[in-house]
């Protein structure tokens, strides 16, 4: 083994636990979603015309905050040294709120509907939902770890963003273009 090979293997080791935990979360959600008998109801929809509208609007809020996440992460990782003190708190809080907005949506999807594979859109949506929470878990567990490769957090963050936008496209965008924009 060369010196470079040892360094590469050593630097990837801190990612093993976060990626393993994320994979377990994704698989567990997918298995639960498929094995659980859907109830048809899970979350009250106060202020919304129904559960689909609630899910569409909360996911839209999370997707908008995900855009804030990307922009604030870009500002934080800028190498110019001129970043503002408010960027890191904005990044943390927009991520926290975005994640919280997804919880009632995911709960409703899993508990009331379960994982469904009856159409390509719904199949992709179900898979993306499990993937989103898995990669989110991996990112959160990787954040406090030292010795990570420099690319790991941006890649994990990019995967979280991509999964959430994919979820928005297969749910909210579909809802707004099919059923119209309504609360």
């Amino acid at each position: 083994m060369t010196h470079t090979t040892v360094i590469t293997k050593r630097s990837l080791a801190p990612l093993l636990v976060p990626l393993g935990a994320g994979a377990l979360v994704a698989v567990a959600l997918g298995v639960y979603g498929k094995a659980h008998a859907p109830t048809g109801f899970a979350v009250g929809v106060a202020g919304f015309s129904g559960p689909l509208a609630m899910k569409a609007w909360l996911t839209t809020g999370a997707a908008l905050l995900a855009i804030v996440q990307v922009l604030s992460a870009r500002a934080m990782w800028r190498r110019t040294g001129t970043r503002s003190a408010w960027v890191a708190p904005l990044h943390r809080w927009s991520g926290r709120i975005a994640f919280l907005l997804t919880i009632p949506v995911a709960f409703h999807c899993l508990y009331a509907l379960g994982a469904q594979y009856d159409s390509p859109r719904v199949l992709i949506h179900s898979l993306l939902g499990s993937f989103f929470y898995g990669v989110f878990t991996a990112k959160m567990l990787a954040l406090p770890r030292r010795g990570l490769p420099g690319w790991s957090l941006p890649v994990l963050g990019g995967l979280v963003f991509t999964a959430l936008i994919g979820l928005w496209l297969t749910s909210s965008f579909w809802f707004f273009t099919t059923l119209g924009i309504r609360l």
Side-chain angles (χ1 to χ4, degrees):
M1 245 190 251
T2 67
H3 180 66
T4 307
T5 307
V6 172
I7 290 172
T8 303
K9 285 184 178 179
R10 207 176 289 152
S11 65
L12 292 178
L15 278 175
L16 293 179
V17 170
L19 291 176
L24 286 174
V25 166
V27 169
L29 289 173
V31 168
Y32 175 80
K34 191 62 184 160
H36 170 71
T39 63
F41 179 79
V43 177
V45 292
F48 295 99
S49 60
L52 288 180
M54 180 263 312
K55 291 171 18 177
W57 285 106
L58 290 180
T59 304
T60 298
L64 291 172
L65 288 169
I67 293 168
V68 171
Q69 283 274 286
V70 169
L71 296 174
S72 60
R74 187 169 184 254
M76 287 188 329
W77 288 94
R78 215 177 337 164
R79 302 287 184 216
T80 61
T82 59
R83 94 177 139 178
S84 300
W86 55 268
V87 174
L90 173 67
H91 184 77
R92 280 191 301 274
W93 280 101
S94 62
R96 289 171 181 158
I97 295 167
F99 180 75
L100 289 174
L101 289 175
T102 69
I103 298 294
V105 176
F107 181 73
H108 187 273
C109 287
L110 278 171
Y111 191 74
L113 305 173
Q116 297 179 15
Y117 307 122
D118 53 347
S119 75
R121 178 189 68 82
V122 177
L123 167 66
I124 292 167
H125 185 75
S126 292
L127 294 174
L128 278 172
S130 295
F131 178 74
F132 169 78
Y133 283 100
V135 76
F136 179 83
T137 299
K139 182 181 181 235
M140 292 301 104
L141 292 174
L143 276 172
R145 292 179 106 56
R146 301 290 177 237
L148 292 173
W151 54 264
S152 59
L153 289 177
V155 166
L156 290 171
L159 290 171
V160 170
F161 176 78
T162 301
L164 185 57
I165 296 304
L167 286 166
W168 183 84
L169 288 169
T170 57
S171 62
S172 301
F173 181 75
W174 172 87
F175 176 83
F176 294 138
T177 57
T178 305
L179 303 174
I181 296 177
R182 58 180 169 182
L183 287 175

